[in-house]
Amino acid sequence: MTYKSLTAASLVALIMGAGGAMADTWRYAFEEAMEEVQGKFAQKFKEEIEANSDHEVQLFPFGTLGESADIMEQAQSGILQFVDQSPGFTGALIPEAQVFFVPYLLPADQDELVEFFRSSKTIKELFPPLYADQGLELLTMFPEGEVMMTTTNEVTSPADLNEVKFRVMTNPLLVEGYKAFGATPTPLPWGEVYGALQTGIIQGQENPAFFIESTKMYEVTDYITRAGHNNFTTAVMANKEFFDGLPDEDKQLVQDAIAASFDYIVDYQDGLTETSLEKIKEAKPSITITNLTEEQRQPFRDTADDVEQQFLEIGGSQAQAILDQMKADLDAVSGGAADAEGEADADAEAKAEN
């Protein structure tokens, strides 16, 4: 894959063309293509803003303004009003955000996962001040799908990753996680991944199924492994100075649009993983898709405690508080789901007796 870098001339054109002369034009960049999950979220956000105000939202998908590091710098400087970026890239900027890369921490159950992102005190209370310190207003986080490994060789155990050069985002904890899995983690910008797999510089990478399908990563790998170790998380942020300067009605407008977009993207993802895997299999019948058994997953799961300790060492001054609250949030969601199931069973029994 290739991308067009943002030149000095085009940057000036962007500022002059979409800036001061059009004060109510808001610019929003994200890390994926328009028809991928972040793009769908952004389009819904744009639709909500423009339907309920006189503001215009300009969308900039991956590559139009550079790589992930570029759009984050532009968001912090105020060139962009909104940015969608994974903690995989902001982890170096906000170390505590690396908690999302502790393997097997997030639930595999989709309902529990969504409820966590809706109600988490970690996301709603603990993270916003950390993002604010970097000039960012955290608006929401949402899951994008089960993370899967795509490799040139079969993977059913950590031993199969030995000496495998595995592309990871530029995130210190993700590096440690794949070291624990037995691989040789290799941080690379996304624009270099396809070519690196094609030429054998690396032998693996991870992403949700929809992204593997849309970016055709299956063309340069032969195996997709579902180890159940994580779900891809992303965060939508605003430039804080911009957001703080909005009138109250516009702040509410943004928050309402974010809420509507969250609901939309959750519904949009229903069945997306399986549909994407079917498309991959149709495009490349020879590919092997393996859903590891619980027994096969256990050696990967056994690395989680060590990676968690690494997080506490490199995850910033609030690492312990973040991890503790996140576990409490996850316990509350798991308990809530169990309570709801119990209540449903009790209701069913009562109806049967009547």
Side-chain angles (χ1 to χ4, degrees):
M1 294 176 63
T2 61
Y3 67 90
K4 180 180 178 183
S5 296
L6 184 67
T7 64
S10 60
L11 179 57
V12 171
L14 173 63
I15 298 171
M16 297 302 292
M22 298 177 64
D24 50 351
T25 297
W26 297 344
R27 298 174 293 279
Y28 180 146
F30 44 98
E31 296 178 308
E32 296 170 5
M34 197 70 81
E35 295 307 306
E36 292 167 347
V37 171
Q38 290 183 20
K40 291 290 187 180
F41 185 100
Q43 288 179 72
K44 180 62 176 175
F45 178 81
K46 171 183 172 71
E47 175 188 312
E48 291 291 323
I49 293 293
E50 294 181 354
N52 294 289
S53 74
D54 293 330
H55 299 305
E56 177 189 355
V57 179
Q58 293 183 335
L59 301 181
F60 298 91
F62 174 82
T64 54
L65 300 181
E67 283 277 2
S68 295
D70 300 313
I71 62 173
M72 176 53 72
E73 290 175 4
Q74 292 158 34
Q76 289 179 291
S77 67
I79 295 170
L80 294 170
Q81 282 71 51
F82 300 96
V83 65
D84 186 338
Q85 187 166 96
S86 163
F89 290 106
T90 55
L93 189 66
I94 304 168
E96 290 85 353
Q98 296 176 93
V99 72
F100 289 100
F101 293 93
V102 175
Y104 299 100
L105 183 59
L106 293 177
D109 181 87
Q110 186 67 15
D111 290 339
E112 290 183 14
L113 183 71
V114 171
E115 183 55 33
F116 164 75
F117 279 96
R118 283 191 192 280
S119 62
S120 169
K121 290 183 179 179
T122 311
I123 294 172
K124 294 182 179 297
E125 298 178 14
L126 299 190
F127 272 126
L130 299 176
Y131 279 75
D133 287 344
Q134 301 299 326
L136 301 164
E137 178 76 19
L138 179 61
L139 298 173
T140 193
M141 290 183 168
F142 62 90
E144 291 196 53
E146 174 192 347
V147 170
M148 304 176 190
M149 305 180 207
T150 65
T151 52
T152 54
N153 295 305
E154 186 175 20
V155 174
T156 59
S157 71
D160 295 324
L161 287 172
N162 184 39
E163 296 186 359
V164 170
K165 292 181 180 178
F166 201 98
R167 182 266 176 176
V168 294
M169 291 178 282
T170 52
N171 179 296
L173 195 69
L174 192 55
V175 169
E176 295 301 323
Y178 268 94
K179 281 183 181 177
F181 279 178
T184 302
T186 307
L188 280 178
W190 179 250
E192 300 176 18
V193 176
Y194 188 99
L197 284 165
Q198 193 172 37
T199 57
I201 294 172
I202 57 173
Q203 295 85 46
Q205 66 90 39
E206 67 163 30
N207 262 301
F210 81 86
F211 201 68
I212 296 169
E213 188 270 322
S214 64
T215 59
K216 302 186 184 302
M217 285 296 115
Y218 58 84
E219 293 181 344
V220 287
T221 50
D222 297 310
Y223 297 88
I224 296 177
T225 304
R226 303 177 70 170
H229 61 293
N230 214 338
N231 199 291
F232 195 90
T233 296
T234 194
V236 181
M237 299 152 274
N239 173 276
K240 184 152 184 64
E241 184 176 357
F242 156 78
F243 187 81
D244 288 347
L246 290 176
D248 289 344
E249 58 267 29
D250 275 353
K251 287 180 181 175
Q252 190 62 51
L253 171 73
V254 169
Q255 291 164 349
D256 290 346
I258 287 290
S261 301
F262 183 98
D263 291 341
Y264 166 80
I265 210 62
V266 167
D267 290 340
Y268 173 78
Q269 291 183 68
D270 186 26
L272 182 61
T273 292
E274 299 308 323
T275 299
S276 299
L277 290 175
E278 289 171 7
K279 289 180 179 179
I280 291 170
K281 193 69 177 177
E282 182 179 349
K284 186 176 181 177
S286 64
I287 199 158
T288 299
I289 302 173
T290 304
N291 192 357
L292 299 187
T293 65
E294 284 305 311
E295 183 178 358
Q296 289 173 318
R297 291 181 182 191
Q298 193 58 49
F300 291 101
R301 197 184 297 274
D302 288 342
T303 68
D305 286 345
D306 288 341
V307 180
E308 184 176 298
Q309 288 304 310
Q310 287 285 337
F311 168 70
L312 293 176
E313 292 176 16
I314 67 176
S317 61
Q318 299 299 309
Q320 187 70 63
I322 290 286
L323 182 63
D324 290 346
Q325 185 58 59
M326 191 160 170
K327 287 183 175 181
D329 294 342
L330 291 166
D331 284 345
V333 168
S334 176
D339 291 344
E341 184 177 349
E343 289 174 6
D345 291 343
D347 289 343
E349 290 177 6
K351 288 178 180 178
E353 290 175 359
N354 292 334

